[in-house]
Structure formats: structure tokens, C-alpha cells
Amino acid sequence: MTAPETSSDASAKPSAPSAVSWRDSLAVYLQPRVLIVMLLGFSSGLPLALSGSTLQVWMKEAGVDLGTIGLLALIGTPYTLKFLWAPLVDALHVPLFTQVFGRRRGWLVFSQLLLIAAILVLAMADPARSPWFAAFAALLVATASSTQDIVVDAFRVESLPEPEQAAGMASYVAAYRVGMLVSTAGALFIVSGFESGGLARTSAWMWGYVVMAALILIGTITALAATEPTQSRNAEAATHAQTALQRVLRAALGAFSEFLGRKDAFAALAFVVLFKFTDAFSGTMTAPFVIDIGFSKVDYAAIVKGVGLAATLIGGFAGGFVARRYSLATSLWIGGVLQAIANLAFSWLAHVGVNQWALALAITAENFTSAIGTVIFVAYLSALCRNPLHTATQYALLTALAAVGRTYLSSGAGYVAKAVGWPVFFVICVLVAIPSLLLLAWLQRRKHFEELGPVRV
């Protein structure tokens, strides 16, 4: 792992990318550092549904009213606001854990132990008797899980050299999806199995969540087997003499001031907000669209979720190959154009109507290209977080900005679809990608990507 680029290094023109063979592109996924990031991705994806959709199923079976279940969406707030305590993760030491494992690994092990404890507390809850205690326990799970995400993101950025960043992200995304699958379909199968074995429903859910808590140990064992990133050790040595308050202020204020002090910082931030907007705008209406044109819930579950997951996983690894083979700017062009054009598959589906093969093709095209764009985009976000003193803070802030398109800018998608109809709506989804592509061209002309340093992902 090389040290962060100095300002003089950052201004140097990156060398032209050389051709990368398929064998080299596949071999990078077997690097120990990439495999570690992959296993940490599983640990990050596993808890998400335990405080979300899986908990909703548990509460529905327990007889909790739908109004209360609907409020469970608020439990996901820590995932949105995690940037608020990311400076603490960057700056503070965890007593004993930091001394034994190091700055990043100490936080990893600590957050995972907190997560296991929170899942066990949730396992002991009884939604039928005390739904609000179950909701509070789920909030603890979400908080511990989002804290783990902060550390894992920082660990990934700091531990992987540039040629392995995209592969690491592709592996992380794939394992994250697998973790989500285990905590949704896997957890429901486990609970059903316990019930078939004679356990009462309450006990079956309790032991199902206990099994999920035990699976977090995969991430803990991975953290113990990993080595502390060199950049993190250097940052720890540089701030060793500072007080805890000084380190927190440096992480919080430094993350903002360093980024905003860069050339074309606000254009880069606008690009972060808009790059995935085309995906977010169409994705908000995918489920209503599929049901509205006549597909059944079974079709939605089997094709949109099943086939879509497979396409996402394959697309993630394809994105890793693209980002490894081409320069960062070229990769962003490929990902940006593909994820926009893929929306036309839904316009075509709107004309075709109810046809399972057509739905599978449209979903495959959308999820495959979206995953390519996501991996390349996250590689770009990682390149922006260059200073190990506040990697976690900067990355949490950038991902929060990236969520603006999904959370706020896409909120009017339903009104647009209602006004123009489905075929035209998905054409509009292509057009909303134009501002991000114009920004990409402008930033490229301003040599923004060259100033990031020799970032050939």
C-alpha cells in the first residue's frame, strides 16, 4: 500500500493505461486483500434486513398492526445519518481494541461485537407483547450496522491499492447482496425449519435471529485475520500526540475543508449527486410499473428479485473488469451511458406487455448495467477520499450526497409516470442522465481526474 499522494504527485499526469487480460482481471479477485473485503461485505449486508423486511414479516406474523409496521421504515435513519458520527470513528480510539488490533481493525471488531449483542437483544424481543421494544432493539441493530459500514468503507479504501479498488468493490457488492439474501430468504427458511421441528413461533424467530447473530462472526474472524492498513498506521502515528477532541475536530473539519479546497469541488459534488440519478428515477417506479402492466407478485418475486439479483452480481464483476481495464474517466463514461440507455428496455416492455421472457430481459439489462455503473462510481468516490486522517468521514459524506438523488430528487417520479405514461416515462429516465454526463465531460476537460493522481482503477 502506497502512502497518500502529495500535491505534487497529484498534479502529475497519469500514465496511459495498458491492456489488461481477462486472466489478470480475474486473478485480482483472488488477492487476499480483495477476499477480505468480500467477506466484510457479507458482514455488512447481513444485518440490513434484520431491522427491515425480515423484521416486518416477524411483526406481521405476531399480529402487529400495519400502521406500526409502516413506521419501521424510520429504523433505517442511522444508515442515512451515519456521516454525523463518522468523525468519531476516524478520530477516537476504542479502549483496548485499538491497542490490540489497531485503528481500523479495532473499530471493526468492536462494531461487530456491538452488532452481535444488538441482534441478540432483538432476538429476545416479543413483537406481539412489546412491538416498541422490538423496534428499539432494531434501531440498535441499525446503528451498530451503520457503524460497521463506516469502518468497512474506510478499511476497504485504505487497504486496497488502486489496481484492486474496483475488484474489491465488485466483491464487496456481491457479498453484500448475498448477505442480504441470507438475512431475508435464508432467515425465513431457518425460522420455518425451526417451526417444522416443533418449536413455537416465538421461539423459532428467536433462534432464527440467534443464527443470524452467529453469522456476523464471519466478519469478526475476517477482521482478526486481516492486517491494519498501512495508511491507517501512518495516520495514527501522525496524530498520536493529539487529544481526542483535537482528532475529532480535525477529522470533521478537515474532511470538509480539504475537499472544498480542491479545484472544481462543487462541480464534483454535483456529479456525485447526479451520476446515479437515472437509476434512482427509474428504480423508484420499477415495482409499480411491473404490477401495473399486469405481472403478478410471483412474477415480480421470481424475475425482478431472482433474475435481477443474478444480473446484479454478474454486472458488478463486469464493472470491476471495465474499471480495471480503462481509465477512471473512460470507465465513468461507459457506466454512465450504459445505465441510462438500459431504461429503454422498460419502454420496450411497456409496449410488449405481459411476457415473462421480456420482463427477464429488461430486468437483466437494467440490473446488469446499473451494477457496472455502481462499481465504477464507488471506485470514483474511493479515489476522492485520499487522506487517511478522515477517510471514513469523507466517504460517509459522499455516499450521503449520492443518496440525495434516490431519496429526494426521485420523489416526483410517480407524478411524471402518471402524467406521461410508462413508455415515455422511461425515455425521460434516459434524458435525466444528460446533466451528469455534461458534468463528466466538463470535469474531464478541466483535468479533474488527472488531478486525483494516477488513478487507473
Side-chain angles (χ1 to χ4, degrees):
M1 174 66 68
T2 58
E5 278 79 354
T6 63
S7 58
S8 60
D9 293 332
S11 63
K13 185 176 181 179
S15 58
S18 57
V20 179
S21 68
W22 280 100
R23 180 177 297 179
D24 291 339
S25 297
L26 292 175
V28 72
Y29 291 101
L30 300 179
Q31 293 296 321
R33 292 179 295 258
V34 175
L35 294 175
I36 286 172
V37 168
M38 180 183 70
L39 292 173
L40 291 176
F42 175 84
S43 184
S44 291
L46 186 73
L48 185 62
L50 298 181
S51 59
S53 58
T54 302
L55 178 61
Q56 290 173 344
V57 174
W58 185 7
M59 285 197 163
K60 186 68 176 68
E61 285 196 347
V64 178
D65 67 275
L66 292 178
T68 302
I69 294 175
L71 290 175
L72 291 178
L74 297 174
I75 291 173
T77 299
Y79 292 102
T80 306
L81 300 180
K82 62 184 180 181
F83 67 90
L84 294 177
W85 64 92
L88 303 180
V89 175
D90 261 331
L92 297 184
H93 298 159
V94 183
L96 184 62
F97 287 86
T98 300
Q99 288 89 331
V100 174
F101 303 114
R103 178 168 168 253
R104 296 302 186 200
R105 290 171 65 234
W107 267 104
L108 266 178
V109 176
F110 177 67
S111 62
Q112 287 162 350
L113 294 181
L114 286 180
L115 181 55
I116 291 171
I119 296 173
L120 291 177
V121 171
L122 180 55
M124 302 303 162
D126 185 351
R129 295 184 178 181
S130 182
W132 294 111
F133 176 76
F136 173 73
L139 183 63
L140 294 179
V141 172
T143 303
S145 174
S146 56
T147 303
Q148 178 190 225
D149 290 348
I150 293 171
V151 191
V152 170
D153 285 334
F155 181 89
R156 174 182 56 79
V157 172
E158 293 175 357
S159 64
L160 295 178
E162 293 298 347
E164 296 176 9
Q165 282 287 347
M169 191 59 210
S171 298
Y172 175 88
V173 169
Y176 191 98
R177 296 277 185 167
V178 172
M180 289 178 61
L181 187 64
V182 169
S183 60
T184 49
L188 296 180
F189 278 123
I190 290 171
V191 171
S192 298
F194 281 136
E195 286 184 313
S196 300
L199 283 179
R201 176 171 291 172
T202 302
S203 298
W205 276 104
M206 180 193 73
W207 284 108
Y209 268 70
V210 169
V211 172
M212 294 296 109
L215 290 176
I216 298 295
L217 289 172
I218 293 175
T220 308
I221 294 171
T222 301
L224 294 175
T227 56
E228 184 72 5
T230 302
Q231 290 190 34
S232 180
R233 289 199 299 266
N234 293 340
E236 175 65 21
T239 60
H240 182 72
Q242 296 179 350
T243 65
L245 179 60
Q246 287 174 324
R247 290 197 301 271
V248 171
L249 290 176
R250 181 171 182 174
L253 299 178
F256 286 99
S257 60
E258 182 195 60
F259 194 93
L260 295 179
R262 298 177 185 176
K263 177 185 174 184
D264 302 322
F266 288 101
L269 292 176
F271 179 69
V272 168
V273 172
L274 294 175
F275 183 76
K276 296 295 292 180
F277 181 38
T278 179
D279 263 358
F281 201 70
S282 61
T284 301
M285 301 308 297
T286 298
F289 163 67
V290 170
I291 300 300
D292 187 56
I293 65 173
F295 289 98
S296 67
K297 292 190 288 293
V298 174
D299 293 329
Y300 178 81
I303 299 176
V304 177
K305 294 300 182 182
V307 175
L309 174 62
T312 298
L313 296 180
I314 297 171
F317 287 107
F321 171 77
V322 169
R324 180 168 164 77
R325 187 175 182 87
Y326 301 103
S327 69
L328 182 57
T330 301
S331 299
L332 285 167
W333 275 109
I334 293 172
V337 171
L338 287 179
Q339 68 185 10
I341 293 177
N343 288 307
L344 295 178
F346 288 124
S347 291
W348 168 74
L349 179 62
H351 287 292
V352 171
V354 180
N355 182 302
Q356 281 75 16
W357 286 106
L359 176 60
L361 181 60
I363 289 297
T364 298
E366 196 278 333
N367 285 26
F368 179 78
T369 56
S370 175
I372 290 176
T374 296
V375 169
I376 296 167
F377 179 57
V378 174
Y380 170 64
L381 297 184
S382 302
L384 292 174
C385 304
R386 298 178 299 179
N387 194 324
L389 293 175
H390 35 249
T391 303
T393 303
Q394 282 190 336
Y395 197 87
L397 285 169
L398 290 173
T399 52
L401 276 175
V404 168
R406 181 180 68 249
T407 307
Y408 301 109
L409 298 183
S410 301
S411 58
Y415 293 103
V416 176
K418 183 178 179 180
V420 302
W422 292 119
V424 177
F425 170 75
F426 288 109
V427 173
I428 293 174
C429 291
V430 178
L431 298 179
V432 299
I434 292 176
S436 69
L437 297 178
L438 290 175
L439 276 171
L440 176 56
W442 191 81
L443 288 169
Q444 190 174 14
R445 189 170 67 250
R446 298 274 293 177
K447 301 188 182 301
H448 166 72
F449 301 101
E450 293 183 17
E451 290 172 359
L452 290 178
V455 183
R456 206 192 123 267
V457 190

